Amino acid sequence: MKFLTRTARVYIIIFTLAILYYFHETIIAVASIKEIIPPTYDAKISESKFVEIVSSTDVDGPFDTTPLKELCSKKVPTPGLVFTCNKANGGIGNVRNQLLGCIRYAIEAGGGLVMPRPVVRAKNLIKTGTGITTDFEYFFDKKHFISVVKEACPNLKIYESEEGLNRLPDVLYPQTLGGEIVMGQIISEPEWWRERFDVWLSNQTRTIGMPTEQDPLLIEFDQTLLLRQPVNADGAQFRDTFGRILQHRTDIRQLAATTLYQLAQQFQIPLDPTASIHAEGYFGAHLRTEADALRAFGDADFNTQSDQYIEQARSANLSVLYVATGSPDELAKMAVKAWSQAGLNVTSKYQLLPPADAMYLKNMSWDQQALVDYEILLKASSFGGFVKSTFAWNIALRRHIVSKVDDPYPGNICFLDEFSHIYGEHDYKRRKNPWTATIPYAMWP
């Protein structure tokens, strides 16, 4: 620039600075754009490949069995001791946590386990304790469960059935061995449970003798296993990974992945199949207004829940609402309301699945169909649920594993982190209602 006069050079510098100042926000945005763009992938990926990746990707990453291995290795085996977990009932939120509670007690006692059989809910959804049990594969991946147990907890011997096992006449109420009951139902001394159980077992078998590998003894747990154990007792790592032993059936996970693929196609949303939680993708809502909810909870009304979900989706700048509900009428009402009030699109699994897949799903029970919703809501960009639903709590707590929010129970808010919001009156601090009060302390994520 030596051929320019000094005055000209000054003008050029001033002009350049003015340009930089005027466009500084744009320049900063471009410089930081890598931080806000969702993970990229091949937009031309085939449906089959998309489904394969999604159905094998979990919200909290690969399953780390190390905490389970470490816990199991510390428990002294009781040869010939076998437990049965055949009283888990209700929807998937209840069944999952009851089974995990039963399995955790079996590990603590050093015993084995008959392959669990959940109780089937009545078709009217209201009666849960039908007494009719079904195969483990009704909900879960049996091959996955057995593989994990053999590899991480070999002392937890799995029996296919109760055939050939002598049954102890008395049912075991495990919470009676856990010390003082706090918050209405949680045991306060899990560290002393094994010692008290050994005394109980010795007394129960005084006349028949202790179990052996050659003469095993079957013990049945009482069904009150929901929200009874302090899930933090074994540390955060165990708490956050233990539930992974129960993985939903492969066909369910594939149906959920197919639904997500169709959602991405129909609404032109660039969903990354490798993502645990989809950035800027879709809002997930659990509209809990079915017959059993209305009967059990008088405040499970449509207007309140729909208002909350529409506002949350709008605040998150998400234009597509994936709604999980067992009521087609409520779904239709939600679609009309969301579009008329906020210009938001509402969709669901049956609106997205291809006809053959939809028919396959319809041949399943109501609770089995809900598993597809469960998988899709787990990966939603933002999720909203109702306080008196273990289904919604399961999803929110599982998503919270990857959250950066330390305390998701701020002030008078029921549950809130960057991924999920549970609406309703919180009770875990006032502790008037044991059922809702105990969830943050006693539900396995």
Side-chain angles (χ1 to χ4, degrees), residues 70-315:
E70 292 177 349
L71 179 78
C72 289
S73 67
K74 298 174 184 177
K75 306 304 174 184
V76 178
T78 306
L81 178 66
V82 188
F83 292 94
T84 178
C85 303
N86 293 349
K87 292 189 175 181
N89 63 80
I92 185 60
N94 286 3
V95 168
R96 183 175 178 273
N97 272 267
Q98 289 175 76
L99 287 182
L100 289 171
C102 181
I103 295 165
R104 179 62 188 87
Y105 278 127
I107 292 172
E108 189 68 20
L113 187 71
V114 175
M115 204 68 206
R117 293 180 58 85
V119 176
V120 179
R121 182 152 50 169
K123 289 185 177 180
N124 65 6
L125 307 182
I126 295 174
K127 186 176 181 181
T128 57
T130 62
I132 303 171
T133 62
T134 188
D135 292 338
F136 181 81
E137 292 171 294
Y138 184 79
F139 286 129
F140 305 109
D141 186 333
K142 181 178 178 181
K143 183 179 179 181
H144 168 83
F145 176 72
I146 292 176
S147 174
V148 170
V149 169
K150 283 184 176 180
E151 186 259 335
C153 203
N155 289 330
L156 185 66
K157 183 178 179 180
I158 303 296
Y159 296 75
E160 279 295 329
S161 71
E162 299 178 13
E163 187 176 352
L165 300 175
N166 296 316
R167 178 184 285 266
L168 189 72
D170 293 337
V171 173
L172 172 60
Y173 293 81
Q175 64 270 25
T176 62
L177 306 176
E180 181 185 356
I181 299 299
V182 297
M183 299 179 69
Q185 58 191 49
I186 304 177
I187 63 172
S188 61
E189 298 173 341
E191 68 276 14
W192 293 104
W193 192 90
R194 173 62 186 269
E195 182 176 319
R196 291 165 180 159
F197 169 78
D198 287 342
V199 172
W200 178 89
L201 182 62
S202 177
N203 291 334
Q204 291 290 318
T205 58
R206 190 171 296 161
T207 57
I208 62 175
M210 288 287 285
T212 64
E213 287 290 352
Q214 295 72 33
D215 189 19
L217 179 65
L218 182 67
I219 296 179
E220 180 180 7
F221 281 121
D222 173 63
Q223 71 176 26
T224 54
L225 292 171
L226 179 64
L227 304 175
R228 304 287 170 162
Q229 296 163 316
V231 296
N232 293 317
D234 301 307
Q237 286 187 313
F238 182 86
R239 176 200 65 205
D240 291 345
T241 56
F242 182 46
R244 293 286 295 276
I245 64 174
L246 299 180
Q247 177 173 285
H248 293 152
R249 292 165 29 168
T250 299
D251 59 344
I252 291 293
R253 291 164 69 90
Q254 290 173 341
L255 284 170
T258 299
T259 305
L260 279 180
Y261 180 82
Q262 294 299 328
L263 185 148
Q265 295 297 306
Q266 291 186 29
F267 294 99
Q268 295 297 295
I269 301 173
L271 298 182
D272 178 1
T274 66
S276 57
I277 292 179
H278 294 289
E280 301 177 7
Y282 61 96
F283 179 79
H286 181 218
L287 189 58
R288 189 70 171 101
T289 57
E290 297 88 359
D292 60 325
L294 293 175
R295 181 176 181 272
F297 319 120
D299 55 348
D301 69 289
F302 170 82
N303 287 330
T304 300
Q305 291 182 51
S306 58
D307 286 345
Q308 291 165 338
Y309 299 153
I310 290 171
E311 179 55 34
Q312 185 180 344
R314 187 161 47 186
S315 298

Side-chain angles (χ1 to χ4, degrees), residues 354-423:
D357 290 325
M359 184 59 66
Y360 180 81
L361 185 62
K362 283 183 179 178
N363 288 328
M364 298 183 189
S365 72
W366 189 80
D367 283 314
Q368 289 174 310
Q369 294 175 37
L371 300 183
V372 172
D373 292 326
Y374 188 106
E375 292 287 336
I376 293 171
L377 295 177
L378 271 180
K379 297 184 177 183
S381 310
S382 182
F383 167 69
F386 177 54
V387 61
K388 295 176 182 176
S389 166
T390 55
F391 181 91
W393 273 104
N394 264 212
I395 292 167
L397 291 174
R398 177 81 179 276
R399 288 159 61 86
H400 185 65
I401 292 173
V402 295
S403 169
K404 295 181 180 179
V405 175
D406 292 330
D407 181 13
Y409 313 104
N412 293 322
I413 297 176
C414 184
F415 179 97
L416 178 65
D417 63 15
E418 69 269 46
F419 301 127
S420 310
H421 193 160
I422 299 294
Y423 295 91

Side-chain angles (χ1 to χ4, degrees), residues 35-57:
E35 299 177 6
I36 61 173
I37 286 183
T40 57
Y41 68 99
D42 183 2
K44 296 180 180 179
I45 188 171
S46 67
E47 179 176 0
S48 60
K49 190 63 178 178
F50 184 96
V51 169
E52 177 189 341
I53 296 172
V54 171
S55 58
S56 60
T57 302

